[in-house]
Amino acid sequence: MSKQANRVDLARTSIVGCWSPLVGEPLDESQAVELARVFKAMGDPVRLRLLSLIASHSGGEACVCDLTDVFELTGPTISHHLKVLREAGLVTGERRGTWVYYRVLPESLGRLSDVLTPAAVTELSIPAPAQAVVGA
Amino acid sequence: MSKQANRVDLARTSIVGCWSPLVGEPLDESQAVELARVFKAMGDPVRLRLLSLIASHSGGEACVCDLTDVFELTGPTISHHLKVLREAGLVTGERRGTWVYYRVLPESLGRLSDVLTPAAVTELSIPAPAQAVVGA
DNA sequence: ACTCTGGATCGATGGACATCGATCCAAACA
DNA sequence: TGTTTGGATCGATGTCCATCGATCCAGAGT
């Protein structure tokens, strides 16, 4: 039983939590570790572009096949980056038939944005970008 | 002339640029590289706490001596992290007499927050937290 | 069942990075 | 001019990570 391991579920595997704004009071160790994990996920140009491609794609989701040809990188590498984004709670992936579709988790970016905002403009956040229900 | 190099100026040494929201349209290579550098700077728990400590410190600035004892880390390490934050355009440092004071660059966090916001709520951004003019 | 194709996982590798001790510089004070 | 102290730089080291080729798994078609 060394190979043939885990049945991937492509859903997120992470982290949620509620963060207080960075500027209000010094954040403690555990908050920092959690938050840093998310920022680290965004601290790579390829992952940022992937995130942006997914977020700005029509229908709110993008197929991995579309994402792959944008870069001069191999499949495994793209797959790795998508996994990092998934584990950071930024995106989620779903297989439908032959292809796998990724979408940005609706609240993730808004919550991050709030953390960086001193006052907390918390109501506007994300205006729900249509969400494209595809299943069935 | 191998040692005795550069006269540090502790001001920022970076990056500025104007980013478009992540969600609107896929960001291009150079935008991604630039933005990723900032997020990478925030992708470390220690640096995030440093940033938060500086931002939330009374007067809008914090002395390095205050920052150092918060962590179980040596001076060089803290100094290194502060340099990374500086080069990312997030903070700036100024020596006054014996001590060095860091403060968060006023627009930096607000701009980041905007990047993560789909619509662009761009007016509120940072309500200028007093700024504590200390010199003289 | 065999094949094909889209993607994920595994294992290896080269480069980046966090951390440290040693050193150096700058201001303050003797 | 020495001495002291706050911080930055240098150089070394161990770890993490981005990328790859090889392999494996899942659906779709034959």
Side-chain angles (χ1 to χ4, degrees), chain A residues 1 6 20 32 42 96:
Chain A
M1 192 190 302
N6 24 18
S20 51
M42 296 201 292
R96 287 199 305 279

Side-chain angles (χ1 to χ4, degrees), chain A residues 6-134:
Chain A
N6 24 18
R7 215 56 17 246
V8 201
D9 81 354
L10 297 183
R12 79 165 169 292
T13 327
S14 59
I15 305 177
V16 181
C18 175
W19 305 308
S20 51
L22 205 60
V23 179
E25 53 184 343
L27 32 76
D28 60 75
E29 172 88 35
S30 61
Q31 282 179 317
V33 169
E34 223 180 294
L35 240 190
R37 189 145 31 197
V38 182
F39 283 128
K40 191 187 298 181
M42 296 201 292
D44 180 280
V46 174
R47 285 197 290 268
L48 262 189
R49 292 181 69 193
L50 282 171
L51 192 60
S52 181
L53 281 167
I54 296 169
S56 63
H57 197 276
S58 74
E61 62 180 9
C63 172
V64 174
C65 54
D66 296 330
L67 302 174
T68 304
D69 357 320
V70 175
F71 304 90
E72 311 243 337
L73 294 171
T74 65
T77 300
I78 298 297
S79 204
H80 161 69
H81 285 306
L82 288 172
K83 182 179 185 181
V84 173
L85 289 174
R86 248 161 44 216
E87 289 176 343
L90 290 167
V91 304
T92 183
E94 178 195 1
R95 151 165 256 141
R96 287 199 305 279
T98 305
W99 291 285
V100 175
Y101 298 88
Y102 278 82
R103 71 178 66 179
V104 174
L105 283 180
E107 290 239 333
S108 58
L109 294 183
R111 285 225 318 278
L112 269 190
S113 173
D114 290 346
V115 170
L116 300 177
T117 304
V121 193
T122 335
E123 31 257 291
L124 307 154
S125 43
I126 285 198
Q131 264 308 106
V133 181
V134 228

Side-chain angles (χ1 to χ4, degrees), chain B residues 37-68:
Chain B
R37 188 146 30 198
V38 181
F39 283 127
K40 191 186 299 182
M42 296 200 292
D44 181 280
V46 174
R47 284 197 291 266
L48 261 189
R49 292 181 68 193
L50 283 171
L51 192 60
S52 180
L53 280 167
I54 296 170
S56 64
H57 198 276
S58 75
E61 63 180 9
C63 171
V64 174
C65 54
D66 296 330
L67 302 174
T68 305

Side-chain angles (χ1 to χ4, degrees), chain B residues 4 7 40 47 74 76-77 80-81 97-98:
Chain B
Q4 178 262 134
R7 216 58 16 249
K40 191 186 299 182
R47 284 197 291 266
T74 64
T77 300
H80 160 69
H81 285 305
T98 305

